[in-house]
Amino acid sequence: MVTAAQPLSLPTAPRRRAAAVRHLGPNWYASVMGTAALGSTGAVLPGHPEGVRMVGTGLWALSLLLLVTLLTARALHWTHHRDQARADLLDPGMAPFYGCLSMALLAVGGGAPTVGRDWIGTTAAVALDSVLFVAGTVVGLAAAVAVPYLMAVRHRIEPGQATPVWLLPLVAPMVSAALGPALVPHLPAGQARETLLLACFALFGLSLLATLLMLPLVFARLTTSGPLPLALTPTLFLVLGPLGQSTTAVGAFADTAPGVVPAPYAQGFGMLAVLYGVPVMGFALLWLGLAGALVARARRRGMGFAMTWWAFTFPVGTCVTGSAALARHTGLAVYDGLSVALCGVLVAAWLAAAAGTVRALVRGELLAGPRTAPVAPRSGTARTRSDAVR
């Protein structure tokens, strides 16, 4: 019996659930992005192997389940731990991950009409894609403005702190640009279709120019301050995101433009798909080699699992779709082979990231609070919160 002197409290189970999500940051959406990216590759590989497509459909369903679960958990996070949520926004290392929410919504939505329709039907797939595309684009544009604003007026950043994570909110509109053209044929012919296609082209330009401003800072950080900390080294793969996604986008514009925009512009999109995509994919392969070498170096020096391993997945997935787009528009078998090889890298990366995440969750490591340094460490160096990437 509860008396007036006894304070009322939430039941134990809800309290435990709320406490469990205190340290669930927006970086967790990267797992949705990587899973959806792997699932979608089943629709772009040469020959469209039936078995691969079936596996891809299952992975897409898993990404949808992960998205719903994380949206619910993050809602609990904001409801019960607003202090931590605000701290994440004011943390220059965590705030850029808010771009991952946009890309998770877009990746799951974009996979619905390509592989998800095998399970839920075309009508439901297009409806789901439409809702997630609008939501993801709005969130992405908000992040592309809000995160740089916070970096300018609230965060205190030194030049040597630049990391590829800063690209995340800027790449989100490029994902919209690449996936939006798939919805164009489902709109009424005429103004509606042309408006959406050109809006996607505007998002392409927005993201491309913003990325071109940020990339020199990342490269200068590497060449002047040395390699990234071990736990952050996998984020070097994030640079592949805007490269592969922009190549995918121009290929999608070329696929969709005929009959939507006047003939000269449609031909221009076809030329852009090759004249832009070939050199950019070349640079993506160069960066893949550099990033891979630095990751191998970090691994030799003791780099263990962290949630940053999901950076190995979605960016490589964009290079798979970019290579497939170049194969369509050049007719060269070498790009078919490249898409298959990169898909192999993506599979290995997803397996490593997923296995590491499951192991760390079972051990209770990922959702635990950051470790604090003891007052008088016995030996060695203390581990600070900035070193504990979860």
Side-chain angles (χ1 to χ4, degrees):
M1 179 177 179
V2 177
T3 65
Q6 294 175 319
L8 293 173
S9 61
L10 291 174
T12 302
R15 280 207 309 271
R16 282 201 301 265
R17 286 195 293 268
V21 300
R22 177 169 179 79
H23 299 287
L24 186 78
N27 55 324
W28 277 77
Y29 286 115
S31 62
V32 179
M33 296 162 53
T35 304
L38 180 57
S40 297
T41 58
V44 301
L45 291 179
H48 307 292
E50 185 62 28
V52 172
R53 184 180 179 88
M54 290 177 61
V55 173
T57 303
L59 286 167
W60 174 82
L62 175 60
S63 72
L64 178 60
L65 176 62
L66 289 173
L67 177 62
V68 173
T69 301
L70 283 175
L71 287 173
T72 303
R74 288 286 296 164
L76 288 172
H77 175 84
W78 271 96
T79 301
H80 297 284
H81 306 291
R82 293 184 183 178
D83 61 324
Q84 184 62 47
R86 287 192 294 267
D88 288 342
L89 280 172
L90 297 179
D91 182 351
M94 185 60 73
F97 283 101
Y98 275 88
C100 291
L101 168 57
S102 165
M103 292 185 279
L105 294 168
L106 292 165
V108 174
T114 54
V115 292
R117 67 182 182 186
D118 295 348
W119 278 13
I120 64 176
T122 300
T123 301
V126 171
L128 178 62
D129 187 18
S130 301
V131 171
L132 294 182
F133 174 77
V134 172
T137 300
V138 170
V139 172
L141 289 173
V145 173
V147 174
Y149 174 83
L150 289 172
M151 293 173 71
V153 303
R154 297 297 299 272
H155 300 164
R156 295 296 176 261
I157 303 172
E158 300 294 332
Q161 294 177 315
T163 73
V165 171
W166 292 3
L167 293 169
L168 288 171
L170 306 179
V171 178
M174 186 67 78
V175 180
S176 294
L179 298 178
L183 291 172
V184 170
H186 300 283
L187 294 177
Q191 288 275 330
R193 293 185 180 182
E194 186 173 357
T195 298
L196 178 56
L197 181 61
L198 293 184
C200 291
F201 193 35
L203 291 169
F204 166 86
L206 178 160
S207 180
L208 178 64
L209 294 176
T211 299
L212 290 176
L213 291 175
M214 192 65 72
L215 273 179
L217 299 179
V218 175
F219 190 72
R221 157 63 178 94
L222 285 176
T223 55
T224 59
S225 300
L228 295 174
L230 296 183
L232 287 176
T233 302
T235 64
L236 290 169
F237 274 66
L238 294 176
V239 175
L240 297 174
L243 303 176
Q245 199 67 273
S246 62
T247 303
T248 303
V250 293
F253 299 154
D255 294 337
T256 309
V260 175
V261 296
Y265 302 118
Q267 295 171 359
F269 277 124
M271 294 175 61
L272 181 66
V274 176
L275 296 181
Y276 175 89
V278 170
V280 170
M281 186 55 62
F283 179 67
L285 293 177
L286 171 67
W287 191 270
L288 178 61
L290 173 62
L294 288 169
V295 167
R297 174 187 179 276
R299 190 66 171 159
R300 290 194 302 270
R301 283 161 173 75
M303 181 188 76
F305 173 76
M307 285 298 289
T308 51
W309 280 34
W310 285 102
F312 295 139
T313 58
F314 187 78
V316 175
T318 68
C319 292
V320 174
T321 54
S323 300
L326 286 174
R328 291 196 307 272
H329 292 284
T330 63
L332 295 178
V334 66
Y335 285 114
D336 280 329
L338 179 60
S339 65
V340 172
L342 289 173
C343 187
V345 175
L346 174 59
V347 170
W350 185 87
L351 289 173
T357 302
V358 171
R359 282 197 302 268
L361 276 174
V362 170
R363 294 171 184 168
E365 298 171 355
L366 288 181
L367 295 178
R371 299 176 185 175
T372 57
V375 176
R378 295 189 187 92
S379 63
T381 57
R383 186 181 182 189
T384 64
R385 176 173 179 171
S386 61
D387 296 321
V389 178
R390 299 189 180 277

